[in-house]
Amino acid sequence: MGKGILKYGGKSGILPKTKQIFHRPIRPMNEVELQKEKNKESGYAEGVPTPIINGKPLPRKQPPRKYITVEDRIKHIKYPPMSLKEMNDLPEEERDAYKRAYYRAEFLKEAYLEEEKRLAKIDQLKTKIHEKELENQRKFEEQRKIESIISSLPTMQKLLKEGLIKKRTPDENKLLKEQRKLNRHSKELAEKEEKASKILELYHSSSKFITNEEQLEEAIYRAFEINVSKFENNQTSIDNKLFSNSSSFIVGEINEMKIKDAILGEINGKPGLEQVKDTLSGNRERLRREAQLNMRGEV
C-alpha cells in the first residue's frame, strides 16, 4: 500500500465535488422566501452615502433575484442541424462528431429535467418543514398561554398567606369611601326633593280642605241647598263621560295636564318645586330681567 492511498484513508481516491447544474434559480421566490428576504437586513445604513461605481450609483437594496426557467434553458440547447437518419449517411468521423453533439444535448436536456424534479422535491420538503415549524410554534404559544394562566392561579400557600380576597390599597379604600359618601348624599338629596315636592303638592291642595265646623256647614249648605242643580248636572255629565264612548276624551285631558305639568315643572297647574327653588334663589327674577332687556334691545 503506497503513500498515495494512505493519503485518502486507504482508498484509491475520492470523487470530485459535484457541480451545480443550475447556477441561477429556475423559479421565482415563494411566500416563505419573500418573507425571509423582507426580514433580512441588507443594503446601506441610514446616513451612509451611496457608492458610485463607473458613474452609476449602486442600489441601496438588493434587487430581486433573476431566474431562468427550465423550459427556457432547454430552448437554448444547441442540437445538430440534422436528424440521426441523416447523420448515418455522412462519413464516419463527421457522423460520430454529430452524434456526440446530439447525445450531449440529449443528456443535458435529461439532466435539466431530472434536476428540476430533484429541486421540486427539495421545495416540497422545505415547505413541510416550514409548516411543521409553524405548527410547533403555535403549540408552543398555546402551551405558554396555558402555563401563564396556571402560574397566575393562586397556590394554597399564597391563599393562606394573602387570603382569598385581594385587599384594597389605602387609596382604593379612600376612593371607595368617597364614592359611598357621594352616593348617600345623592340619595338623600333625591329623597328630600321628592318629599318637598309632595309637601308642595299637599300645600296646593290644602286650599280645598275643610278645617273647622263653619267651613263644613257652609260646604253642606252650598252642596244641598244652593248648588243642588249644578251638582246634579255635574254628576250627570261625569256619568256620561265615564260610561259613554267619549271616555277617551277624559283620558286625553288628564294626559295633557300631566305633560304640561312635566314640561313647566308645575303641580296641577300651580308652581312646582323647581319654580319655587328658582324664585328663592333669584334665578327666576334674573331670567325675567334678561328677557326684558333682550326684548327692548330687539325693539
Side-chain angles (χ1 to χ4, degrees), residues 218-236:
E218 185 178 357
I220 293 172
Y221 175 75
R222 288 180 178 276
F224 291 98
E225 294 187 11
I226 299 177
N227 297 328
V228 176
S229 59
K230 184 179 180 181
F231 177 78
E232 291 177 352
N233 291 333
N234 291 337
Q235 185 179 7
T236 304

Side-chain angles (χ1 to χ4, degrees), residues 18-27 68-70 73-74 107-123:
T18 57
K19 294 182 179 180
Q20 293 183 357
I21 296 178
F22 301 134
H23 297 283
R24 282 190 178 182
I26 61 174
R27 58 167 180 77
I68 303 175
T69 61
V70 177
R73 292 175 185 271
I74 292 175
F107 289 151
L108 183 60
K109 178 181 177 181
E110 185 179 354
Y112 282 168
L113 296 175
E114 290 296 327
E115 183 69 8
E116 183 184 18
K117 293 178 182 179
R118 189 182 71 86
L119 293 178
K121 291 181 180 179
I122 293 175
D123 289 339

Side-chain angles (χ1 to χ4, degrees), residues 30 32 120-136:
N30 53 29
V32 178
K121 291 181 180 179
I122 293 175
D123 289 339
Q124 291 178 0
L125 183 60
K126 287 182 178 179
T127 303
K128 290 182 180 180
I129 293 173
H130 179 69
E131 291 176 354
K132 190 174 182 180
E133 289 178 354
L134 292 178
E135 182 67 19
N136 293 336

Side-chain angles (χ1 to χ4, degrees), residues 210-221:
I210 298 175
T211 57
N212 50 43
E213 294 182 1
E214 289 79 3
Q215 293 177 352
L216 178 60
E217 291 178 357
E218 185 178 357
I220 293 172
Y221 175 75

